[in-house]
Amino acid sequence: GSMTESRKRLCNMVDEELDRLKQAGHTFSHQCVSGAFGEELKCKVCKAKIIYSDHSREGASLEVHRINPLLAQGKAVVSAKSADKFLDALYQGAIELVDPK
């Protein structure tokens, strides 16, 4: 998907947290990806251990079309809670749902 303002904020927050952890002696890496499709996206997903799925717009439903293939590959998925409480409840436990703000 495209790099929306909420996705930019998320990436910045992750950068800040990883900087804090690095100063404490921990080593992690992350990459915010946007505009990747096909083989390029597959390559990035294969290397990832945890994938965060953020909605492209406020009021969106859970992005199951993105989440299901990730779960099928055994990836840990963190997603912003959606406007669809039924889907959120259905996926609770399979993925980690967090407050989008």
Side-chain angles (χ1 to χ4, degrees), residues 60-74:
S61 292
L62 194 62
E63 298 191 356
V64 297
H65 63 286
R66 296 180 192 271
I67 293 170
N68 287 341
L70 297 171
L71 292 175
Q73 294 177 55

Side-chain angles (χ1 to χ4, degrees), residues 22-77:
K22 187 176 180 180
Q23 290 175 2
H26 302 286
T27 305
F28 298 96
S29 65
H30 86 102
Q31 184 177 25
C32 287
V33 177
S34 116
F37 301 95
E39 290 303 315
E40 179 186 7
L41 181 59
K42 280 184 187 177
C43 182
K44 293 183 183 303
V45 167
C46 283
K47 293 177 184 177
K49 293 182 179 157
I50 301 170
I51 298 173
Y52 186 88
S53 176
D54 190 21
H55 309 296
S56 60
R57 58 183 169 74
E58 191 143 342
S61 292
L62 194 62
E63 298 191 356
V64 297
H65 63 286
R66 296 180 192 271
I67 293 170
N68 287 341
L70 297 171
L71 292 175
Q73 294 177 55
K75 300 299 179 179
V77 178

